[in-house]
Amino acid sequence: MLFFRRCLYLGLFLGQFFWHIPRLRFYPQVLVQHLYQVGPPLLPAVLGLNGLLSWMILHALQLAVDQAEPLGMAFALAFCQQVPLIVCAGLLAIQLAAVSTQELLDYQHHQQLEVLRSLGVSTIDYLLFPRLLAGFILFPLLLIFAFTIGLCTATLMAAQSYNSGDVLLFWAGIRSIFSLRALILILMKGCCLGLTIALTGYTWGQTPLEEAEGAPRLARWTAAQAALWAWGLAMLCNVVLSVLEPG
């Protein structure tokens, strides 16, 4: 029952947001604040996880593939297609859910929502839209950072095993699979996933606020649920977009 109630909240929020778009007001200071709260704390985790995974994947592939160019093709298939997308989606879902839940609890505790409404400020403009835009902006940037870390790690490993000519062949193998067109499609997919994560993390964390206020343990469980569902729906969206992706 709680699941369907939260799904209803998600659908109502989405419909309310699109209905409100013609009257939408933009608060850049709120967007910048949210980007600062969510983005920088994620960078060490993105760096560490993608660097570690790219090292593990390439090390495993080197046991089966000797030549540089086929190794580059195998690495592009094993790492570049989905790994940064899945890792960044999980990390962004956790961070967005935690920040949004804590902010909403603070707003409820200090009665700031009522102050916003009394001033005629729409909560969609002030709360929902900056978070959706933050997810839309952050996810592609995190993907670019993740790809950079993964490819740099793989290049350093290849340089230790091959000469400079073979390293160029290794990169030729990567480019034959992971082209500029593939990167653009993944970044466009990332924008959609960022919106999905932001919307789900925000709305899923909002429904039990009355119960969670003043109960830190329940608030943390609320954030964990929001992150889990945001990541799950993002992965479902990823599957759908991958099926619809032009060949």
Side-chain angles (χ1 to χ4, degrees):
M1 188 64 183
L2 182 60
F3 170 78
F4 293 107
R5 189 183 72 176
R6 292 183 178 179
C7 288
L8 180 61
Y9 266 91
L10 181 62
L12 289 175
F13 260 88
L14 188 60
Q16 190 178 11
F17 172 72
F18 284 113
W19 180 262
H20 189 76
I21 283 179
R23 304 183 299 278
L24 201 62
R25 293 183 60 187
F26 179 50
Y27 293 90
Q29 68 278 11
V30 182
L31 172 63
V32 172
Q33 179 185 3
H34 200 63
L35 287 172
Y36 180 76
Q37 288 177 328
V38 176
L42 287 175
L43 295 181
V46 173
L47 187 153
L49 283 175
N50 284 279
L52 177 63
L53 289 172
S54 63
W55 177 83
M56 292 173 62
I57 289 172
L58 187 59
H59 183 70
L61 291 172
Q62 285 178 326
L63 299 177
V65 182
D66 294 330
Q67 297 181 347
E69 188 171 359
L71 180 64
M73 297 172 64
F75 178 78
L77 288 171
F79 177 80
C80 298
Q81 296 295 329
Q82 292 293 335
V83 171
L85 203 69
I86 295 172
V87 171
C88 291
L91 294 174
L92 184 61
I94 293 171
Q95 185 69 6
L96 273 177
V99 170
S100 297
T101 302
Q102 187 58 50
E103 284 184 350
L104 286 168
L105 288 171
D106 292 340
Y107 284 145
Q108 288 278 332
H109 181 71
H110 298 290
Q111 297 182 342
Q112 292 186 12
L113 284 177
E114 287 73 12
V115 174
L116 290 175
R117 294 190 182 99
S118 66
L119 294 174
V121 178
S122 171
T123 54
I124 293 180
D125 295 339
Y126 199 83
L127 294 178
L128 181 58
F129 181 63
R131 283 153 182 77
L132 293 180
L133 193 55
F136 183 83
I137 294 172
L138 275 176
F139 202 99
L141 294 178
L142 289 175
L143 281 177
I144 292 173
F145 182 65
F147 282 124
T148 303
I149 296 301
L151 292 174
C152 287
T153 302
T155 302
L156 290 175
M157 291 183 63
Q160 292 178 348
S161 304
Y162 303 109
N163 57 40
S164 58
D166 287 337
V167 172
L168 293 178
L169 289 175
F170 175 76
W171 264 96
I174 291 177
R175 288 197 302 269
S176 65
I177 301 296
F178 189 61
S179 61
L180 179 61
R181 176 179 176 273
L183 176 61
I184 292 174
L185 287 175
I186 290 176
L187 293 179
M188 291 174 62
K189 189 189 299 184
C191 292
C192 297
L193 265 62
L195 286 174
T196 303
I197 291 170
L199 180 65
T200 310
Y202 176 79
T203 56
W204 217 269
Q206 181 177 246
T207 52
L209 287 178
E210 297 81 4
E211 307 168 10
E213 186 172 3
R217 183 176 299 177
L218 185 55
R220 288 194 294 269
W221 173 238
T222 299
Q225 285 181 311
L228 180 61
W229 282 106
W231 182 80
L233 288 178
M235 291 300 96
L236 179 61
C237 180
N238 179 33
V239 172
V240 174
L241 292 175
S242 297
V243 171
L244 298 177
E245 185 177 304

